[in-house]
Amino acid sequence: MKYFAVILTMRDEEKNRSFRPQHLAFLEQMKQEQKVVMNGPFTDGAGGLVIYAAHNEEEAISFLNQDPYIVNGARNWEIHEWALETNDNFQF
């Protein structure tokens, strides 16, 4: 399994507000399916980050293209394969 960091930047604030509930429900479903590792908004309001687990970039993009924010033009996106490195001493 590979990991892909997707940066979602603001494209349309009105659409962002309108589709936020559907976006959050989508992310929750993807977490349950173990396709989203983690996600969260940037504190400055510029957008957010989603880490997808996928076999390859094409699969990650296929997941991303189901996100209501993307489907409805609320956010722009940028994707990068991400090498997950853990710190065994770190605890949330």
Side-chain angles (χ1 to χ4, degrees):
M1 192 62 58
K2 296 180 180 181
Y3 300 97
F4 296 87
V6 176
I7 300 167
L8 297 171
T9 55
M10 195 63 65
R11 181 173 176 185
D12 184 313
E13 289 186 27
E14 184 177 323
K15 287 182 179 181
N16 186 74
R17 281 189 298 277
S18 295
F19 293 102
R20 183 168 173 72
Q22 294 97 320
H23 167 72
L24 294 176
F26 166 77
L27 291 176
E28 184 57 36
Q29 179 63 38
M30 296 297 276
K31 283 180 187 176
Q32 290 176 13
E33 295 175 14
Q34 298 183 339
K35 295 175 182 173
V36 166
V37 177
M38 62 181 68
N39 65 280
F42 298 135
T43 59
D44 65 0
L49 174 72
V50 179
I51 306 294
Y52 286 99
H55 292 101
N56 53 49
E57 185 173 313
E58 292 77 22
E59 183 178 42
I61 291 171
S62 76
F63 299 158
L64 174 64
N65 282 330
Q66 299 172 50
D67 186 331
Y69 272 172
I70 303 307
V71 171
N72 295 288
R75 299 277 181 104
N76 295 311
W77 60 273
E78 180 180 331
I79 189 169
H80 301 273
E81 188 172 346
W82 184 51
L84 175 64
E85 297 178 9
T86 61
N87 176 348
D88 294 333
N89 296 319
F90 184 81
Q91 296 180 346
F92 284 99

